[in-house]
């Protein structure tokens, strides 16, 4: 078993390198995930990877169910209830094939795997990735469309990275973290993965960084924690001009915004107070350490300090996470504030100089609203309509 773990760890590291490299292959990353998860007997993760790789053993049964769900939705226009009696026979077939439907059939998975323009269930990550250069040049091939395929590949890449990181953490830290913390960490990671894969990835990367021997990694872990809290605040309680009990909620006031979300969302006063205490503690701590990291004074951040911050973040999220509504799940649309120059050009169908002007504007405004986009030279009503459809703001 020890040899298997060593081999799996090597494969996982190779997979993460592929996904984190600008020139890396998502398909290769998923291949590595499949091999490592099989070595470690992580059946659900292995099956997820095999589906992305187009394994017909699983694709057939899932495709059959998704087709029936899509036909039912087209007929009734009502939200699909997965455990409806209508699908009982199909679900039984999935179970007999070893498919954990609660793990595999997430909202994002079902949406993308039933969308023909994104490749659906029948096109593997190999096909999608190989076809991408053609779509970037021609926009579509009358079946697959660029923005849809990019969303599909982005979902596979993000989720694969989360699973590889989870396996990496389980191997790298086995025997060093108590089983009780493993329980808490896994619960938080899994719930965050459902809510927002990118935020889950940030948290796992912070946990990974505090175990490094590199002092700069400890500082980076704290910076990652701060960014995670900011992302969570943007998701749960966006900035606004309200004033409540003398608190304001501007973009930079992420602690106030998280505090107010919990005040609104958590009914139990004791639970709310505990969660808010965690946020206030973390906020003040990260504000202080962020000044150090901004200056590059990495040696002023000890490994113990960084580890405490990451562990405390897990505790805070454990208090908060059960109150997060699954309906807050992040859209799979890219955000215009973080989209690459190529994505802006391709998805908005604008000239290169207009895409550059958008990048310059979002740096100037520290982000970009729809109104600010309208003021950019070269951006007309057609581009605005497209932007509303393909981007988050």
């Amino acid at each position: 078993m020890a040899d298997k773990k060593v081999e799996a760890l090597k494969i996982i590291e190779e997979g993460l390198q592929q996904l984190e490299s600008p020139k890396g292959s998502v398909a290769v990353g998923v291949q590595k995930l499949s091999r490592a998860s099989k070595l470690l007997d992580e059946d659900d993760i292995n099956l997820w990877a095999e589906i992305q790789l187009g394994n017909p053993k699983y694709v057939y049964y899932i495709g059959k169910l998704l087709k029936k769900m899509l036909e039912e939705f087209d007929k009734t226009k009502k939200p699909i209830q997965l455990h409806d009696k209508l699908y009982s026979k199909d679900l039984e077939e999935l179970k007999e094939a070893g498919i954990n439907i609660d793990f595999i059939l997430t909202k994002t998975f079902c949406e993308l795997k039933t969308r023909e323009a994104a490749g659906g269930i029948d096109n593997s990550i190999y096909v999608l990735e190989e076809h991408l250069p053609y779509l970037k040049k021609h926009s579509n091939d009358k079946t697959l469309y660029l923005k849809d395929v990019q969303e599909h590949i982005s979902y596979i890449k993000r989720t694969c990275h989360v699973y590889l990181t989870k396996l990496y953490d389980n191997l790298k830290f086995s025997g060093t973290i108590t089983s009780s913390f493993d329980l808490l960490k896994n619960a938080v990671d899994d719930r965050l993965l459902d809510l927002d894969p990118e935020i889950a990835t940030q948290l796992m990367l912070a946990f990974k960084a505090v175990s490094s021997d590199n002092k700069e990694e400890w500082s980076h872990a704290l910076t990652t924690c701060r960014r995670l809290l900011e992302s969570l605040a943007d998701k749960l309680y966006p900035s606004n001009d309200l004033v409540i009990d003398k608190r304001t909620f501007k973009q930079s006031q992420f602690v106030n915004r998280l505090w107010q979300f919990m005040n609104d969302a958590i009914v139990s006063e004791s639970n709310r107070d505990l969660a808010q205490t965690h946020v206030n503690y973390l906020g003040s701590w990260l504000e202080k350490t962020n000044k150090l990291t901004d200056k590059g004074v990495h040696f002023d951040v000890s490994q113990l300090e960084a580890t405490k911050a990451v562990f405390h973040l897990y505790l805070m999220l454990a208090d908060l996470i059960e109150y997060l509504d699954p309906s807050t799940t992040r859209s799979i649309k890219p955000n215009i504030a973080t989209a690459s120059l190529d994505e802006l050009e391709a998805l908005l169908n604008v000239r290169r100089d207009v895409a550059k002007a958008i990048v310059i504007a979002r740096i100037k405004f520290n982000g970009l609203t729809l109104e600010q986009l309208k003021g950019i030279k070269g951006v007309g009503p057609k581009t605005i309509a497209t932007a509303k459809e393909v981007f988050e703001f």
Side-chain angles (χ1 to χ4, degrees), residues 65-81:
L65 172 63
L66 293 180
K67 182 180 178 181
K68 184 179 286 189
M69 290 167 61
L70 190 59
E71 288 173 349
E72 183 66 15
F73 178 76
D74 288 340
K75 190 194 312 179
T76 66
K77 301 302 180 185
K78 294 180 180 179
I80 297 298
Q81 300 297 326

Side-chain angles (χ1 to χ4, degrees), residues 71-275:
E71 288 173 349
E72 183 66 15
F73 178 76
D74 288 340
K75 190 194 312 179
T76 66
K77 301 302 180 185
K78 294 180 180 179
I80 297 298
Q81 300 297 326
L82 183 58
H83 294 282
D84 191 288
K85 288 183 179 179
L86 178 64
Y87 310 112
S88 57
K89 184 178 177 181
D90 301 277
L91 294 176
E92 191 60 38
E93 287 181 342
L94 290 177
K95 289 179 182 178
E96 288 176 3
I99 299 171
N100 181 346
I101 58 174
D102 293 322
F103 183 87
I104 298 295
L105 300 181
T106 63
K107 180 181 177 182
T108 303
F109 178 95
C110 292
E111 196 278 328
L112 284 168
K113 299 301 183 184
T114 53
R115 198 196 309 174
E116 187 178 4
I121 189 70
D122 295 320
N123 287 290
S124 69
I125 182 60
Y126 301 116
V127 175
L128 297 177
E129 204 164 41
E130 287 175 2
H131 211 55
L132 189 59
Y134 177 89
L135 294 175
K136 283 184 175 179
K137 185 175 181 180
H138 300 284
S139 179
N140 71 82
D141 66 358
K142 298 184 180 178
T143 301
L144 300 177
Y145 284 75
L146 176 61
K147 71 180 185 66
D148 299 276
V149 169
Q150 284 180 322
E151 286 179 12
H152 198 167
I153 293 175
S154 178
Y155 155 74
I156 295 172
K157 182 178 181 179
R158 288 195 313 265
T159 309
C160 182
H161 192 285
V162 168
Y163 289 152
L164 282 170
T165 304
K166 178 180 178 179
L167 296 181
Y168 178 91
D169 288 346
N170 288 345
L171 286 177
K172 197 74 173 177
F173 304 111
S174 60
T176 61
I177 306 299
T178 65
S179 59
S180 57
F181 184 77
D182 277 339
L183 181 65
L184 181 145
K185 180 181 182 301
N186 290 339
V188 171
D189 289 344
D190 286 345
R191 186 76 174 99
L192 270 185
L193 177 58
D194 288 334
L195 291 164
D196 193 311
E198 286 192 20
I199 292 180
T201 300
Q202 289 177 18
L203 181 59
M204 292 177 186
L205 288 175
F207 186 77
K208 178 180 173 182
V210 295
S211 69
S212 170
D213 295 329
N214 186 337
K215 292 184 177 181
E216 290 194 1
E217 288 293 314
W218 309 338
S219 175
H220 291 161
L222 290 171
T223 305
T224 300
C225 287
R226 190 177 193 281
R227 287 173 181 163
L228 186 153
L229 288 178
E230 290 174 336
S231 298
L232 201 58
D234 289 342
K235 186 179 188 65
L236 300 177
Y237 198 91
S239 59
N240 57 66
D241 295 324
L242 295 175
V243 179
I244 302 175
D245 294 332
K246 298 183 179 180
R247 289 179 183 267
T248 54
F249 309 100
K250 304 300 182 184
Q251 183 61 38
S252 62
Q253 295 172 306
F254 63 93
V255 174
N256 278 6
R257 291 190 282 126
L258 283 173
W259 195 97
Q260 191 58 39
F261 169 80
M262 286 183 282
N263 196 63
D264 294 341
I266 304 177
V267 176
S268 166
E269 193 167 324
S270 59
N271 288 350
R272 183 171 61 232
D273 290 345
L274 180 59

Side-chain angles (χ1 to χ4, degrees), residues 310-324:
V310 173
F311 276 37
H312 202 94
L313 182 54
Y314 267 104
L315 290 170
M316 183 274 285
L317 289 170
D319 287 335
L320 170 64
I321 215 156
E322 62 183 290
Y323 300 100
L324 300 187

Side-chain angles (χ1 to χ4, degrees), residues 267-285:
V267 176
S268 166
E269 193 167 324
S270 59
N271 288 350
R272 183 171 61 232
D273 290 345
L274 180 59
Q276 289 169 349
T277 299
H278 282 309
V279 170
N280 289 336
Y281 170 84
L282 267 176
S284 60
W285 170 254

Side-chain angles (χ1 to χ4, degrees), residues 332-351:
I332 55 177
K333 292 181 182 180
N335 194 300
I336 199 163
T338 56
S340 68
L341 194 62
D342 288 338
E343 287 178 318
L344 291 169
E345 184 180 4
L347 297 182
L348 291 177
N349 193 25
V350 295
R351 300 189 312 273

